[in-house]
Amino acid sequence: MSRVFRKTLRSSGPPGGHRDFFAAEVAGLRWLADSGAPVAKVLAVSEDAIELEYLDTTRPDREAARAFGAALAGMHDAGAPRFGSPPAGFDGRLFIGRRPLSSVEYDSWGEFYASERVEPYLRPAREAGNLTAEDEDAVRAACELVASGVFDDDEPAARIHGDLWNGNVLWTSQGVVMIDPAAHGGHRETDLAMLALFGCSLLDEIIDGYQETHPLVPGWQDRVEVHQLHPLAVHAAGHGPGYGTALGRAARASSALARG
């Protein structure tokens, strides 16, 4: 019998709970799995809880890291209908962590990213005292530039994990397994930028495996802070003023890059 990892609304869900909280997680896991991506296996789900196959973790290794990079590229290449698209067949509320996540769809990545992935978290961050007025102004200025399309390219919407920080990357004897997605149609560089932001183990090897499968557009290293605006904004909304400071810094760097 498989060992079970069980999460409940009380331990994991948003304040007050929401009937879509675990349904969104399951939809995301299944959508990513459809691409062949290594994700946690769902054993059972209800409005109040989710049960996943228990995973024993091991130390990171280079072979697993490169294999994960290749799998991540394949997952991204599976695509999504548009930027902001939810997992196929799911029409409920999405979440990133405990916070709501928009599923409004766009044809333009820049417009989508600024309007739906950064700006919604600025007011909560200010109200929490985690974002200064000066830093908010810098972020809104960066969002205006991003929304103008200055960073848009010819890449179609990718099928992204959406919350790919180090804690959602589990190293097991079978290789890397991803958990807790905020899956949607986005830009593939966003997942990689989040891995960098929170210090994923063996990131260089992961990137090497990724590049061997689907090379990134030249200049991607310069755009990392652009793609970190979203996770920094989400964290500034509820995890302390240090994230607000980092958000302001990333916004200024993004504006400087946009202006050449």
Side-chain angles (χ1 to χ4, degrees), residues 38-235:
V39 299
K41 181 180 179 181
V42 178
L43 301 177
V45 65
S46 69
E47 288 188 7
D48 301 317
I50 185 173
E51 294 183 354
L52 304 171
E53 184 176 17
Y54 189 91
L55 296 168
D56 289 309
T57 57
T58 62
R59 295 183 64 180
D61 71 79
R62 287 176 168 77
E63 183 178 351
R66 294 180 78 94
F68 174 52
L72 194 60
M75 181 185 83
H76 290 163
D77 286 348
R82 300 172 73 196
F83 295 108
S85 292
F90 184 73
D91 60 2
R93 178 182 290 183
L94 298 179
F95 295 87
I96 180 163
R98 294 174 174 237
R99 294 195 174 274
L101 186 74
S102 162
S103 56
V104 178
E105 299 178 87
Y106 291 74
D107 292 323
S108 160
W109 175 77
E111 186 180 4
F112 150 73
Y113 187 71
S115 299
E116 308 297 338
R117 291 297 180 265
V118 183
E119 290 176 345
Y121 304 101
L122 300 185
R123 181 175 179 181
R126 283 279 285 143
E127 291 176 346
N130 295 336
L131 183 67
T132 67
E134 184 179 10
D135 282 337
E136 181 184 9
D137 288 344
V139 179
R140 292 194 181 279
C143 283
E144 186 175 351
L145 289 167
V146 171
S148 75
V150 68
F151 296 114
D152 286 4
D153 51 37
D154 295 330
E155 299 230 328
R159 186 173 305 190
I160 71 172
H161 179 283
D163 193 10
L164 200 57
W165 70 289
N166 190 46
N168 288 339
V169 175
L170 301 185
W171 301 82
T172 78
S173 58
Q174 287 75 45
V176 171
V177 177
M178 294 179 287
I179 61 172
D180 292 346
H184 62 276
H187 198 294
R188 61 196 183 115
E189 290 179 15
T190 302
D191 270 349
L192 300 178
M194 193 176 290
L195 286 175
L197 178 62
F198 294 105
C200 185
S201 300
L202 299 178
L203 182 58
D204 287 345
E205 283 78 7
I206 293 171
I207 296 295
D208 286 345
Y210 191 104
Q211 294 269 45
E212 289 171 1
T213 303
H214 186 169
L216 293 158
V217 175
W220 67 270
Q221 298 98 326
D222 298 328
R223 296 185 292 273
V224 168
E225 287 179 295
V226 178
H227 289 273
Q228 289 176 344
L229 293 173
H230 167 53
L232 286 171
V234 172
H235 279 72

